[in-house]
């Protein structure tokens, strides 16, 4: 069974940090580009970050550049999202997603084949 399971969300004060993890099972993780998306109430799902399966290239949305870092550990079948300098507007449910053998990770949700259930991040002001 193919699964992605996120963890690491929680409540944090503005300016604080969290590290999200997404553990994959049932798939050849090293063949998947991995992405993080988020969605807050009343808003559409938006791209946060992605990392290539080929060379580890990373991609970020403008609103997280310089604050968030995506990384992967293929030996552990896990992708991470280190979030620093958190802001109240970062409050959302964060989902990880996997895209099989894509050359360049998509910044849209459509191409992603597998999704996790999400982890809630709340940033208080």
């Amino acid at each position: 069974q193919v699964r992605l399971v996120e963890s690491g969300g929680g409540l944090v004060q503005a300016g604080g940090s969290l590290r999200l993890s997404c553990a994959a099972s049932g798939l050849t993780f090293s063949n998947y580009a991995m992405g993080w998306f988020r969605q807050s109430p009343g808003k559409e799902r938006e791209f946060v970050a992605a990392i290539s399966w080929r060379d580890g290239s990373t991609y970020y949305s403008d609103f997280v550049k310089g604050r968030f870092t995506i990384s992967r550990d293929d030996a552990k079948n896990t992708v991470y999202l280190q979030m620093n300098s958190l802001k109240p507007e970062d409050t959302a449910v964060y989902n990880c997603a996997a895209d099989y053998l894509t050359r360049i990770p998509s910044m849209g949700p459509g191409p992603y084949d597998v999704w996790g259930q999400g982890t809630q991040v709340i940033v208080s002001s």
Side-chain angles (χ1 to χ4, degrees), residues 9 13 20 23 38 43 50 52 68 74 84 90 97 111 116-117 123:
Q13 287 190 329
L20 305 183
R38 70 186 188 187
K43 295 182 66 176
S52 167
F68 292 10
D74 287 354
N84 299 329
D90 294 319
Q117 83 290 347
V123 184

Side-chain angles (χ1 to χ4, degrees), residues 8-111:
L11 174 63
V12 64
Q13 287 190 329
S17 298
L18 284 174
R19 189 175 84 152
L20 305 183
S21 300
C22 170
S25 59
L27 51 78
T28 305
F29 183 75
S30 58
N31 287 348
Y32 283 80
M34 299 299 297
W36 285 98
F37 291 79
R38 70 186 188 187
Q39 189 169 20
S40 51
K43 295 182 66 176
E44 291 191 355
R45 178 176 286 169
E46 58 185 0
F47 171 78
V48 177
I51 187 166
S52 167
W53 65 274
R54 296 174 70 212
D55 58 6
S57 296
T58 56
Y59 306 83
Y60 297 95
S61 63
D62 287 342
F63 52 76
V64 303
K65 276 181 184 176
R67 299 190 299 125
F68 292 10
T69 302
I70 188 171
S71 62
R72 64 189 297 157
D73 185 338
D74 287 354
K76 295 183 178 180
N77 288 357
T78 301
V79 62
Y80 304 97
L81 186 67
Q82 178 67 44
M83 306 187 295
N84 299 329
S85 303
L86 282 161
K87 306 174 181 179
E89 51 265 42
D90 294 319
T91 294
V93 174
Y94 285 71
N95 295 89
C96 66
D99 188 5
Y100 182 62
L101 286 181
T102 190
R103 188 168 169 268
I104 297 175
S106 172
M107 294 188 181

Side-chain angles (χ1 to χ4, degrees), residues 102-122:
T102 190
R103 188 168 169 268
I104 297 175
S106 172
M107 294 188 181
Y112 289 84
D113 308 297
V114 187
W115 290 81
Q117 83 290 347
T119 186
Q120 176 74 58
V121 171
I122 300 173

